[in-house]
Amino acid sequence: MKSNTNFIRDNIAVGFMLFALFLGAGNIIFPPLLGQMAGENIFVSMVGFLITGVGLPLLGIISVAKNGGDLEVLAGRVNPYFGIVFTSIVYLSIGPFFAIPRTGAVSYSIGVAPFLSESAQGSWIPLFLTTLVFFGISFYLASNPTKIVDRVGKFLTPALLFVIILLAAKAFLTPLGEIGESQGAYINNAFGESFIQGYLTMDVLASLVFGIVIVQALASRGITQKAQQIKITIFAGIVAALGLAFVYVSLGYLGVTSVDSIGFHDDGGAIISLAANALYGDFGNIILSATIILACLTTSVGLFSANATFFHKIFPKISYKAYLVVFAVFSFAVSNFGLANLINISLPVLVAIYPIAIVLMIFALFGNLFNHAPSVYGVALIFTGVVALYDGIKQTGVTILAYENFLSIFPFYEQGIAWVVPALVGGVIGYIIHIAKR
């Protein structure tokens, strides 16, 4: 029987694994940009960002853990067909369509490109070769999901934390400059803007799918009792949340103090790259390159494993490794479209599905209050979806004036989260329907 010390150490390893799976491209490139744009409003901006980037993902981990680590089971409380369709959309969004290709693109643009000549950066060959190697390593590490805790939690994560601490410590000890003025939407709507920016990390969606990776890893270690799995998963979620909060605050501070030294930039990758160089010189680029590649690699491995596990469960005739091959090839192809294009394409989709995921997750946490009645979930999600779908369409530049005027009457419209009140109203109506049926 394992000693208590070994048990705690193993649980921390699971937490480190989860932290590393979360900490990917968006988690590193968006906080510095938020810092520069927020300026003097950095505190309220960071609060908004931490809610969607840390608080809600932690709730997502808890919610999914209580449902056996399976998002399909959670979403299936609404309707079995909704469970399959919505879960598939979430997995594909943070899998081969957007998030996995982004890990490869960011690894190149921040981890490799700064070391190349201008002529080499203008060629397609370095990106092609970088993503080819990157997804080859990701495929290998994800090929045996039972070893992910050992490969990621015990080896890659400590290395990742070390290089992040090197960067953060220097930023706090020798700041690059003073905190400047707020820019753009952060002048009058710092909280709402940063709340929405937290969507881009995709961490809430990731929290809903990483549960299956944790449960699988625990089962491989002989931990099969649901109560124990829930306890360890929640502990791991807390460890991951603390780690993410440290990274966001550190990189946000790096961004907000960097303007005097490197100027304004609209690319978070450029900000952190220039700031690392200003703090450590050429050695800073090496530190940053190691941070980015390790962070993107761990996230890529987790997303590959989660996607292959889910779709193998839905269509078991196709093997786990066959799904890995398909997703690796597809992600490799998509990543070669470039980072900026991936972000622009993904934002409307994320804005549309994020509120649905948040409402589903929060209602599931309190589902015992209404016996998980499908009508409560269903009406709340319909009301949420009507608003969220339009918000996603609006991100493409299309606006419907009459509908815009209608939404403007709801609280939190200016903050970009007008779906909150409709979700609550829908839940109340759904509960009335549930009582009436009963």
Side-chain angles (χ1 to χ4, degrees):
M1 185 174 180
K2 288 185 176 182
S3 68
N4 195 43
T5 301
N6 289 338
F7 181 76
I8 294 174
R9 186 184 63 198
D10 287 349
N11 286 351
I12 291 176
V14 176
F16 275 5
M17 177 198 74
L18 183 59
F19 164 70
L21 298 185
F22 273 123
L23 188 63
N27 310 77
I28 291 177
I29 65 176
F30 293 123
L33 178 60
L34 179 145
Q36 280 208 346
M37 297 299 292
E40 58 195 2
N41 289 327
I42 183 63
F43 179 77
V44 67
S45 297
M46 190 53 64
V47 170
F49 192 80
L50 289 177
I51 289 174
T52 45
V54 177
L56 291 179
L58 178 57
L59 292 181
I61 287 292
I62 296 172
S63 181
V64 172
K66 290 185 174 181
N67 287 273
D70 196 332
L71 173 59
E72 186 193 351
V73 173
L74 177 61
R77 293 186 181 280
V78 183
N79 177 277
Y81 295 107
F82 174 83
I84 294 176
V85 172
F86 180 72
T87 305
S88 298
I89 292 173
V90 170
Y91 270 96
L92 291 173
S93 295
I94 65 166
F97 283 2
F98 302 130
I100 295 180
R102 191 173 73 180
T103 60
V106 171
S107 292
Y108 167 75
S109 64
I110 304 179
V112 176
F115 299 97
L116 303 177
S117 64
E118 290 187 11
S119 59
Q121 290 182 23
S123 171
W124 60 271
I125 296 176
L127 174 61
F128 180 90
L129 293 177
T130 300
T131 52
L132 181 65
V133 173
F134 178 87
F135 287 117
I137 295 173
S138 297
F139 172 83
Y140 167 74
L141 293 175
S143 60
N144 191 338
T146 62
K147 294 184 178 180
I148 286 182
V149 171
D150 292 325
R151 290 171 173 173
V152 175
K154 292 185 177 179
F155 299 108
L156 290 180
T157 309
L160 175 58
L161 277 173
F162 175 73
V163 292
I164 289 176
I165 289 171
L166 276 180
L167 195 61
K170 182 72 171 175
F172 279 106
L173 292 174
T174 57
L176 292 172
E178 300 294 327
I179 295 176
E181 296 181 355
S182 303
Q183 305 293 317
Y186 288 88
I187 298 174
N188 298 314
N189 186 27
F191 178 84
E193 185 67 20
S194 59
F195 189 94
I196 297 298
Q197 288 299 312
Y199 289 1
L200 291 172
T201 66
M202 301 190 192
D203 282 346
V204 168
L205 301 183
S207 72
L208 298 176
V209 305
F210 282 153
I212 201 168
V213 178
I214 296 176
V215 169
Q216 195 172 38
L218 294 177
S220 70
R221 291 168 171 260
I223 302 172
T224 56
Q225 291 183 349
K226 184 177 179 181
Q228 196 172 11
Q229 287 183 342
I230 292 174
K231 183 179 179 180
I232 295 174
T233 302
I234 292 174
F235 177 83
I238 294 172
V239 172
L242 292 174
L244 288 174
F246 165 74
V247 171
Y248 292 156
V249 171
S250 300
L251 296 182
Y253 181 78
L254 179 67
V256 78
T257 57
S258 67
V259 177
D260 290 343
S261 179
I262 66 174
F264 279 108
H265 297 273
D266 58 1
D267 180 352
I271 294 171
I272 193 171
S273 178
L274 292 170
N277 186 268
L279 288 169
Y280 281 106
D282 292 338
F283 180 61
N285 289 335
I286 296 174
I287 294 175
L288 180 62
S289 177
T291 304
I292 291 295
I293 292 174
L294 282 171
C296 291
L297 186 62
T298 52
T299 297
S300 175
V301 170
L303 292 175
F304 268 132
S305 179
N307 272 267
T309 300
F310 170 72
F311 285 104
H312 174 60
K313 186 186 72 171
I314 300 298
F315 304 105
K317 290 185 178 180
I318 303 176
S319 70
Y320 173 87
K321 287 195 174 181
Y323 279 113
L324 280 184
V325 171
V326 172
F327 293 150
V329 172
F330 186 85
S331 299
F332 163 70
V334 174
S335 68
N336 279 266
F337 283 102
L339 178 60
N341 291 329
L342 286 173
I343 293 175
N344 290 335
I345 294 172
S346 65
L347 184 58
V349 178
L350 294 176
V351 170
I353 66 176
Y354 233 82
I356 297 173
I358 292 172
V359 171
L360 174 63
M361 174 185 75
I362 293 177
F363 272 64
L365 282 174
F366 300 98
N368 289 334
L369 298 177
F370 52 87
N371 295 321
H372 292 284
S375 61
V376 177
Y377 286 109
V379 181
L381 291 175
I382 289 173
F383 281 29
T384 303
V386 168
V387 179
L389 182 61
Y390 174 72
D391 286 341
I393 294 172
K394 191 166 64 173
Q395 290 293 327
T396 66
V398 177
T399 56
I400 303 172
L401 186 59
Y403 198 61
E404 192 81 21
N405 292 334
F406 168 70
L407 291 181
S408 66
I409 67 175
F410 291 110
F412 311 118
Y413 167 79
E414 295 293 337
Q415 288 73 32
I417 48 176
W419 49 267
V420 171
V421 172
L424 295 174
V425 172
V428 171
I429 294 174
Y431 186 70
I432 293 172
I433 293 172
H434 168 61
I435 294 299
K437 285 183 177 180
R438 201 169 59 173

